[in-house]
Amino acid sequence: MRATVIHAPHDIRVEEVPDAAVQRPEDAVVRVLRACICGSDLWAYRGEAERQPGQRIGHEFLGIVEETGSAVSGLRAGDLVVAPFMWSDGTCDYCVEGLHTSCVHGGFWGSVGFDGGQGEAVRVPHADGTLVKLPAEAVGDEHLLTGLLALSDVMGTGHHAALGAGVRKGSTVAVVGDGAVGLCGVLAAKRLGAERIIALGRHTARTDIAKLFGATDVVAERGEAAEAAVRELTGGQGAHAVIEAVGTEQSMRTAVNITRDGGAIGYVGVPHGSGTGLDLGVMFDRNITLRGGVAPVRAYIPELLADVLNGTIDPAPVFDRTVALDEVPDGYRAMDDRSALKVMIKA
């Protein structure tokens, strides 16, 4: 089969690799219908996250179950399914507590020796605990299928950030980061009842989506100017809840400085370039709470799926470019130079 592999920084290729196949009784093989490129994939692409030459890449996909192992009981061939960005058994203590990303038998697509999502098919370990069935009729609805793909990562990650930030009905929320996760954070905050949502971003195409998703204000400045703008919008106090969806030292500093005393930051930006750390004294003095991390997307898919299906939320607009599998290297270049927000792959 064909799959996307990374050989070196800026060297993404689509190559022939061994076919995905059931290896253990708990496995399933999923034929990929839709996959996508994540902003976090760019850290490997840029050489800021180490990968072995020839390693698979991609962790967001949905598709059709083609084969199941003998121990798989909840799925059968022909089911349309979405995969969260990590696999999990669904039964360990962490999974039962809703923290599937810490599953003792879990793992990450594209790890050494495992299939990545950007290919024609994927072997799925612990299929019963990992995959979520989707309505079969979604295959014929291109827009709905696109929205459902967002459940594999960005919608659930934005929701995780909103929960970490303590978004509640009537609250004021600020979102640092205008990538797909930040935009889904806007959508999640709106879904949770936020009254005012301030989106920080400089790219009009992205802030237009933020407005579509529920942002009431846009701040285009950066650094201290952005902090001053948010303070002005909030009567000098800052936001009750702040979503940090970038992961740099600067973005986290901005998040802290625009949080209202007694407020909270939900952070989901993959940390990079933040080695100097935060001043905990500032957070201590101002009673600022920090919650977040790797989003346990598998725990959130059922409730978010229901809202996508009934039209309460529609994350599909975060995908602004579509490529065929052979064009994936072009998709990486487009996201790297920010000419694309999030690239969907039709496998």
Side-chain angles (χ1 to χ4, degrees), residues 77-131:
D79 284 342
L80 177 67
V81 293
V82 63
F85 64 79
M86 295 183 71
W87 70 81
S88 54
D89 62 21
T91 60
C92 77
D93 288 346
Y94 289 112
C95 288
V96 171
E97 294 167 3
L99 193 62
H100 297 72
T101 49
S102 291
C103 176
V104 296
H105 299 120
F108 195 82
W109 310 113
S111 299
V112 175
F114 292 91
D115 294 321
Q118 296 165 13
E120 292 183 316
V122 177
R123 176 177 79 87
V124 178
H126 299 287
D128 275 333
T130 300
L131 300 172

Side-chain angles (χ1 to χ4, degrees), residues 220-278:
E221 293 85 356
R222 299 185 71 182
E224 292 182 0
E227 295 165 13
V230 173
R231 291 280 173 180
E232 183 176 356
L233 288 169
T234 57
Q237 294 185 338
H240 300 101
V242 175
I243 291 172
E244 193 287 313
V246 182
T248 64
E249 180 181 342
Q250 177 62 63
S251 63
M252 186 60 82
R253 182 180 294 113
T254 296
V256 170
N257 290 340
I258 64 175
T259 303
R260 187 179 189 270
D261 286 17
I265 300 167
Y267 72 105
V268 292
V270 178
H272 53 281
S274 55
T276 58
L278 291 171

Side-chain angles (χ1 to χ4, degrees), residues 9-20:
H10 301 281
D11 186 359
I12 292 282
R13 309 177 197 176
V14 178
E15 299 180 339
E16 291 290 329
V17 301
D19 288 340

Side-chain angles (χ1 to χ4, degrees), residues 1-4 12-16 118-120 322-333 344-347:
M1 69 177 192
R2 293 178 303 150
T4 305
I12 292 282
R13 309 177 197 176
V14 178
E15 299 180 339
E16 291 290 329
Q118 296 165 13
E120 292 183 316
T322 302
V323 299
L325 183 58
D326 287 338
E327 300 170 320
V328 167
D330 293 331
Y332 271 85
R333 284 189 285 271
M344 183 170 67
I345 303 161
K346 285 189 175 182

